[in-house]
Amino acid sequence: MGQAIVYCSKCNAQLRSTDFAKGTAVKLEHKTYCRNCLPDGVVPPPIEKPAPESSSKKRGHHTTSISVQPPRPAEAPKPVLVWVAGLATGIVLVIAGFVLFSPPGAPRASVSDPAADAPRSSSPAPALSTPERDARETLARLLRKIQEQPDDLDGQQALLDDLAARAPGTSVAGDVPLEKDRLARRRDDFRKAELGALELEIRD
């Protein structure tokens, strides 16, 4: 709203309602005077000081306003993360319990390499000499002949004679008399079987 304008009765200065409110203008006997034109003996009222501006108003061009935002509430932990953390804690506690309460001398399971557990010889096996190798191969052929062709006594005798020639000075030299004795028993059994079959033919 606009303010009423009056004029000083002496100097014709413009006076507004705010001047009367502040005490810079006075109204006496239906006349208005500015503070400088008051009649003699008239004491002007004290000038009212403007009320101080609140701290919330801006002061000049350099006033800045600071807004304080309330802190955000912390987000509640997700159920899945809580469950995973609890499970991990339980596993750690179980492992720690086994380590702390296991007896000192209790064996612990370990994964071993079969190749590492196999007995290792202190030195590689010596290479066989030619006579030793030949004698062992001949003995192996004789035993295979006896197993596969038990009735071929002549073939067994030939291999036994070859073994007897190769065995001296080798590890199989002691097998020669044993095989000769076995071959002799097989020959006796074979002759007895032939005689038994011949007697049956004669009786018939």
Side-chain angles (χ1 to χ4, degrees):
M1 294 177 64
Q3 297 181 2
I5 300 174
V6 294
Y7 297 91
C8 178
S9 300
K10 285 188 176 183
C11 64
N12 292 326
Q14 290 186 359
L15 302 175
R16 301 176 183 273
S17 58
T18 56
D19 296 329
F20 293 95
K22 294 177 182 180
T24 56
V26 179
K27 186 175 183 181
L28 296 173
E29 297 179 356
H30 305 289
K31 293 182 180 180
T32 56
Y33 300 93
C34 66
R35 192 176 185 84
N36 296 328
C37 298
L38 288 174
D40 296 337
V42 177
V43 179
I47 299 175
E48 296 182 1
K49 295 182 180 180
E53 296 182 355
S54 61
S55 58
S56 61
K57 295 182 179 180
K58 296 182 179 179
R59 299 178 180 178
H61 299 285
H62 301 286
T63 303
T64 57
S65 60
I66 300 175
S67 60
V68 180
Q69 296 181 354
R72 295 182 178 178
E75 295 182 358
K78 297 181 179 180
V80 177
L81 297 179
V82 174
W83 183 83
V84 172
L87 180 60
T89 304
I91 293 174
V92 171
L93 292 177
V94 171
I95 295 175
F98 276 115
V99 173
L100 294 176
F101 298 103
S102 60
R108 296 183 179 180
S110 60
V111 179
S112 59
D113 186 2
D117 295 338
R120 298 180 181 178
S121 58
S122 58
S123 60
L128 298 177
S129 61
T130 301
E132 179 73 21
R133 183 180 64 253
D134 293 343
R136 292 187 180 187
E137 290 178 355
T138 304
L139 178 60
R141 289 197 300 270
L142 173 60
L143 297 177
R144 186 167 56 251
K145 184 76 171 179
I146 295 171
Q147 182 179 5
E148 295 176 356
Q149 298 176 351
D151 296 336
D152 187 6
L153 300 179
D154 293 337
Q156 297 174 17
Q157 183 65 51
L159 289 174
L160 181 58
D161 294 340
D162 188 14
L163 176 63
R166 298 177 182 274
T170 66
S171 61
V172 299
D175 294 330
V176 175
L178 295 176
E179 294 301 330
K180 286 183 178 181
D181 185 59
R182 293 172 182 173
L183 180 58
R185 289 200 300 269
R186 288 196 296 274
R187 286 186 181 276
D188 291 340
D189 294 339
F190 184 74
R191 292 192 187 98
K192 291 179 181 180
E194 287 182 343
L195 290 175
L198 182 59
E199 290 179 357
L200 289 176
E201 291 180 0
I202 294 173
R203 291 177 183 176
D204 294 338

